Each structure stands twice: as structure tokens, then as C-alpha cells.
Amino acid sequence: MSRDDRDPLDVADPRRTELADALAFLEQRIAAACLAANRLRAEVTLIAVTKTFPASDVATLVSLGVTDVGENRAGEAEDKRLECRSAGVIDLRWHFLGQLQTNKAGVVAQCCDVVHSVDRLKLVTALDRAAERAGRRLGCLVQVDLGLSSAGRGGATPTQVEVIADALAQAEHLDLDGVMAVAPLGDEPAEAFARLAEVAAHIQAGHPGATVISAGMSGDLEHAVACGATHLRVGRALLGSRPPLG
Ligand SMILES: *Cc1c(COP(=O)(O)O)cnc(C)c1O
């Protein structure tokens, strides 16, 4: 993560103009996708995926109306949230989207509000303990592997999903909010997201509060909205390209 001394609220700052333009264009895409799917814009939450970008970008996005940000590394999320807090930027929700090791559960429980990547039972136990130690409740989504043949891009297989969802629902300090997925590479996103919608409906039948469907990124958000996504995780289309592996 690069640091800079940019004033995130300076209206003459070129980065602010860049982010404002990208956000306006992205909002048009989301509005058009909602219209095409006969859904209300208010049914869809935009999560700005700020991984690899500095805290000043988070501050600028918040000043432009963004309410939710996503990070995929525990240490980076922790640093950025502290930087934002000391700059007085506190009115936003932090989402954790990345592969999560159990030994990082404590950090994530401190600095994030929702974890999208719960993909195994051991992580449920670790997050529940961590949330208890942090003295808070933590929202959780079961990450679903939508890959048909080879392993997809992380997540639990459809049979494991239900077991993990039940464990989250029973955990004392965790809330089962719903499901999350990344469309598998080389697969039709529309078909993958349709499978996710089926999994989500199945989980919701047993857990009516599990209403979140986190799906859709810069390249496939229209398909996700068409399949009922409630949360979009958008990085590049908003913040620009990341260094490789970012
Ligand atoms: C990086 C990331 C995103 C954002 O992807 P873009 O293609 O930059 O929009 C969404 N979800 C997860 C899990 C990510 O790691």
C-alpha cells in the first residue's frame, strides 16, 4: 500500500476528480443493471474494494458518498482503518474479502465489520472466539465455490456450505448474513451467479435472516445484479488498475 500526503477533500486534486468520475460512471452502470433487472438501486450495496490503494482514497470515496469498503489482507485492513480513524473518517463499514488464516481472525474481528470469506468450520470457531474477545458481533458470509469441475477461486463446495451456514447461525458472537462468491475463471458468469442464487435461496429457507448475496466485480456486475446480488465488490472500475497480484 502506497502512502501519500494528498488532501482527500481538496476539490482541485486530480485523484479526487478521477475517483468522482469513475464513481459517477459506475453508478450509471449499476442503475442500468438494476433497471434491466427490474430492481431498485436501493437493493444493491456498492462495496469499494480499496486493496492496494491508500487510506486517502478511502477518505475521498467516503466524502463522495461511498459507505462500504473491502480489503483482502488483514494487516492492510488494520493499518488503513487506523489511518482513516485518525483522519476522522469513521462512518463506513469494512468488509473482509480475502483468504483468511485462523491466526488472523483476531485482527479481522477488530478491524472489519463483515467477513465474506468464511469457507471452513475451523474459521467459524476462530472468528467466534475472536469476536467474543473483541467484544462485538461480526457479520459473516459463507464463500461458495462455484467452479463446476476444477477447484474454483476459493470457497466451500455446495455440500459444505450448509454445514458452515448452520455453524455460523449457532455461533454466539457471529451473524449468518448470507453467501458470497467469485465467478470462476473461464465460466459463464451468468450461469455461475444463477447457481449462487439457488444456494442462497436454499440457505435462506433455513435461515431467513441470511439475505446477503455478495457477487459481482468490475467485469461482471451486470450479471450479478440480474441474479439478485445485494452487494457488489468493485475495485478496478472505481480505483483503477492494481499492480499484478494486488
Ligand atoms: C479484488 C477483489 C474484488 C474486486 O475485483 P475488481 O475486478 O477489481 O473489481 C472483488 N472481490 C474479491 C474477493 C476480490 O479479492
Side-chain angles (χ1 to χ4, degrees):
M1 167 180 133
S2 62
R3 282 174 180 269
D4 64 4
D5 300 321
R6 200 169 70 68
D7 174 0
L9 302 181
D10 177 2
V11 291
D13 187 291
R15 179 61 170 160
R16 185 183 170 85
T17 309
E18 202 170 84
L19 290 174
D21 289 350
L23 182 61
F25 187 70
L26 177 61
E27 277 298 341
Q28 285 179 16
R29 273 180 73 188
I30 298 172
C34 286
L35 192 65
N38 200 18
R39 300 182 61 199
L40 296 174
R41 171 65 185 87
E43 294 172 32
V44 178
T45 300
L46 169 64
I47 301 171
V49 180
T50 48
K51 63 188 182 193
T52 78
F53 291 97
S56 59
D57 280 353
V58 176
T60 298
L61 288 170
V62 169
S63 76
L64 293 169
V66 166
T67 55
D68 292 74
V69 295
E71 291 287 334
N72 72 338
R73 285 169 207 259
E76 185 180 341
E78 183 181 38
D79 290 349
K80 229 175 268 182
R81 187 165 192 171
L82 283 173
E83 262 191 84
C84 282
R85 186 181 301 164
S86 47
V89 180
I90 49 173
D91 206 9
L92 76 167
R93 266 181 307 275
W94 293 78
H95 299 256
F96 190 82
L97 314 171
Q99 271 278 334
L100 181 55
Q101 304 300 319
T102 49
N103 64 358
K104 296 285 170 60
V107 175
V108 167
Q110 298 265 4
C111 71
C112 293
D113 305 291
V114 185
V115 179
H116 288 230
S117 45
V118 182
D119 59 358
R120 58 201 190 277
L121 286 173
K122 262 176 83 170
L123 196 51
V124 176
T125 316
L127 285 169
D128 192 33
R129 282 207 203 104
E132 179 176 24
R133 274 199 302 274
R136 63 185 308 205
R137 302 191 67 77
L138 205 54
C140 289
L141 308 181
V142 184
Q143 184 173 349
V144 182
D145 180 0
L146 295 174
L148 281 179
S149 46
S150 60
R153 296 168 77 181
T157 62
T159 44
Q160 294 169 314
V161 169
E162 194 167 355
V163 177
I164 296 167
D166 290 343
L168 283 173
Q170 278 170 24
E172 215 177 322
H173 307 278
L174 306 177
D175 292 317
L176 170 64
D177 288 344
V179 295
M180 174 274 213
V182 179
L185 291 168
D187 210 345
E188 272 302 317
E191 289 168 20
F193 291 145
R195 290 200 291 281
L196 180 65
E198 279 174 34
V199 174
H202 182 71
I203 297 297
Q204 227 185 109
H207 305 281
T211 54
V212 171
I213 302 177
S214 167
M217 318 196 329
S218 294
D220 56 21
L221 68 90
E222 285 82 3
H223 293 297
V225 169
C227 291
T230 63
H231 288 64
L232 306 174
R233 310 177 309 268
V234 180
R236 287 168 299 138
L238 192 49
L239 288 125
S241 57
R242 289 180 296 271
L245 298 178

